[in-house]
Amino acid sequence: MRPFEVTNRLVLGIALPMTFAYLTTPLLGIVDTAIIGQFGDAALLGGLAAGAIVFDVVFTTFNFLRAGTTGLVAQAFGRDDRLEEQAVLLRALLIAIVAGLVIVLLGPLINAGGILFIDPEPRVAEAMNAYVSVRILGAPLTLINYAILGYVLGRGEGLLGLLLQILLNGANIALSVLLGLYLGWGIAGVAWGTLGGEALSALVGFAILVRRFRQGPGVARSRVFDLPEIMRMVAMNRDIMIRSFSLLAVFALFTREGAQFGTLTLAANAVLMNFFLISSYFLDGLATAAEQLAGRAVGAHYEPAFRRSVRLTGLWGFGVALLMAGFFLLFGSDLVSLIARSPEVQAAAGIYLPWAAFISVAGVLAFQMDGVFIGATWSRDMRNMMLVSLAIYLVALYSLTAVFGNHGLWAALYVSLVARGMSLASILPRRTRQVFAS
């Protein structure tokens, strides 16, 4: 047992920097769109959007490298096992490099599959091909950055994580503007800018970690290639990947069913979902704090810290969610007007605005429990409860929308989020007893 105290300052010291880090991410899409928009060619914008969808799917598949690494490093940090921290990072980097090279080799097939699935017009497909064929070369760098960020967050170094994300996204933006706009490379320049940002972030991250590791004992190669530990990481990654795809299915079905109510309703839903995306960046920051603190407590085998981390991240999460709900109720109409210029879309969005305003409150427990279970490396429970909540969502989706239309669609999304959070919370006491009683 290695006791430590969980305080509000400790929670916010992780959550606040990572919230700001996550908030820099959507800025990339805005800048890239603005750069390509200067060329006045709708086909280029379409190709950029379609290419971004391809990478959303590809890199969501491997997001476990960040989450899984965070949980395992946090537990080693709690045990004060510096060598295992290094070993976890090196295993994650090995998986990142191998998986990244496989993605590069499969690049032409991924590109072709994306074009086949999206089925764009010829000029859009041409622009999409130019973007994907360049950006996919940076797949190993992207996955390496996932692993490095996972290690940093596992140690609770939120400020370093923020600096790495600012470097990544800032370099990405600067290079995209330089190559895409000033040098006139267009959509290929934006892709090369993204690749350059990933490369710079990976190099700086490597430099920081190499300098750190040189100051202590090195981890043995046999420990890095410990087969049971590698299989544990693979199993975790599999479970988190299944969970991520199930979550993607929820939002894909939400969009698909919204389209059945007409273009106006689809557009209104798309505008309002930005409220949830904004809220999710704040909730993700607190979920990251829950990951590190819960994992550290499990590694330290110190139940009071585990329980306090759950309590404090939950209190802060609900507080933030209520503030976000109040903000969107007060200023939601102004935000809708800023995003959508069409009076018809604004009017339609106003009808469903209360659903979007309170969705962060419905989802806060799901975000927090995800963080706790990732940190504790209870990935199988996450997978299973996500599949249960997906099944509940499907029932709610088709029953509520048949009666209440788009109101029923939003209600079904609420049901999904609440089911996800409550299902994990319901098994938390049992899992806590099992881990800390041994």
Side-chain angles (χ1 to χ4, degrees), residues 33-374:
T33 301
I35 291 170
I36 298 304
Q38 301 305 305
F39 291 91
D41 189 340
L44 292 179
L45 284 172
L48 178 66
I53 291 172
V54 171
F55 287 105
D56 283 345
V57 174
V58 170
F59 292 133
T60 295
T61 304
F62 292 95
N63 191 46
F64 57 72
L65 278 169
R66 206 285 299 163
T69 303
T70 297
L72 293 171
V73 170
Q75 292 186 19
F77 183 76
R79 295 192 301 270
D80 196 24
D81 188 348
R82 296 296 180 89
L83 292 180
E84 182 59 21
E85 291 177 27
Q86 292 184 42
V88 170
L89 172 62
L90 292 173
R91 292 180 201 124
L93 289 173
L94 179 63
I95 294 173
I97 292 169
V98 172
L101 291 175
V102 169
I103 292 173
V104 172
L105 291 175
L106 294 177
L109 291 178
I110 293 172
N111 199 352
I115 292 174
L116 181 64
F117 177 77
I118 297 172
D119 192 23
E121 296 178 355
R123 292 193 64 248
V124 174
E126 181 182 353
M128 177 181 171
N129 178 68
Y131 180 77
V132 173
S133 60
V134 172
R135 190 178 166 190
I136 206 161
L137 298 175
L141 297 169
T142 301
L143 300 187
I144 285 170
N145 284 321
Y146 282 1
I148 292 174
L149 182 61
Y151 168 83
V152 167
L153 296 182
R155 288 182 48 81
E157 298 172 332
L159 184 58
L160 179 55
L162 170 62
L163 293 176
L164 288 175
Q165 290 300 104
I166 289 176
L167 175 65
L168 168 65
N169 295 331
N172 189 332
I173 290 171
L175 290 171
S176 294
V177 171
L178 173 64
L179 300 176
L181 192 58
Y182 285 99
L183 296 185
W185 292 10
I187 196 166
V190 169
W192 281 112
T194 302
L195 193 152
E198 297 281 1
L200 181 59
S201 179
L203 286 173
V204 171
F206 266 128
I208 292 172
L209 297 181
V210 167
R211 181 179 179 183
R212 174 182 296 180
F213 294 157
R214 280 180 176 172
Q215 297 174 353
V219 62
R221 184 178 300 178
S222 59
R223 186 165 186 175
V224 175
F225 291 95
D226 186 328
L227 186 58
E229 288 299 323
I230 291 176
M231 294 309 297
R232 181 189 179 196
M233 179 174 277
V234 169
M236 275 190 63
N237 295 343
R238 176 201 63 210
D239 294 336
I240 294 173
M241 184 170 64
I242 293 171
R243 172 257 180 199
S244 297
F245 272 111
S246 299
L247 190 58
L248 278 176
V250 168
F251 291 104
L253 287 170
F254 179 88
T255 303
R256 178 182 178 277
E257 289 304 307
Q260 308 307 307
F261 300 118
T263 302
L264 190 61
T265 300
L266 176 64
N269 286 348
V271 170
L272 292 174
M273 278 303 291
N274 285 288
F275 292 9
F276 182 55
L277 291 175
I278 294 169
S279 299
S280 70
Y281 296 126
F282 289 89
L283 296 179
D284 270 333
L286 286 162
T288 301
E291 289 177 31
Q292 200 279 333
L293 295 172
R296 180 180 174 185
V298 169
H301 203 71
Y302 188 53
E303 186 175 356
F306 182 84
R307 292 188 178 278
R308 186 161 172 79
S309 67
V310 172
R311 183 165 62 254
L312 288 184
T313 54
L315 288 173
W316 279 106
F318 277 103
V320 167
L322 289 171
L323 286 174
M324 297 299 296
F327 176 81
F328 288 132
L329 282 176
L330 290 174
F331 303 105
S333 297
D334 296 326
L335 290 174
V336 168
S337 299
L338 186 65
I339 297 170
R341 306 297 296 177
S342 166
E344 293 80 7
V345 173
Q346 293 175 11
I351 297 172
Y352 307 106
L353 193 150
W355 287 108
F358 283 101
I359 197 168
S360 59
V361 179
V364 62
L365 188 61
F367 279 82
Q368 187 219 8
M369 286 293 107
D370 275 355
V372 171
F373 276 68
I374 286 173

Side-chain angles (χ1 to χ4, degrees), residues 306 310 369 372-373 378 424-432:
F306 182 84
V310 172
M369 286 293 107
V372 171
F373 276 68
W378 298 334
L424 289 172
S426 68
I427 62 176
L428 179 62
R430 176 171 56 85
R431 296 294 278 139
T432 302

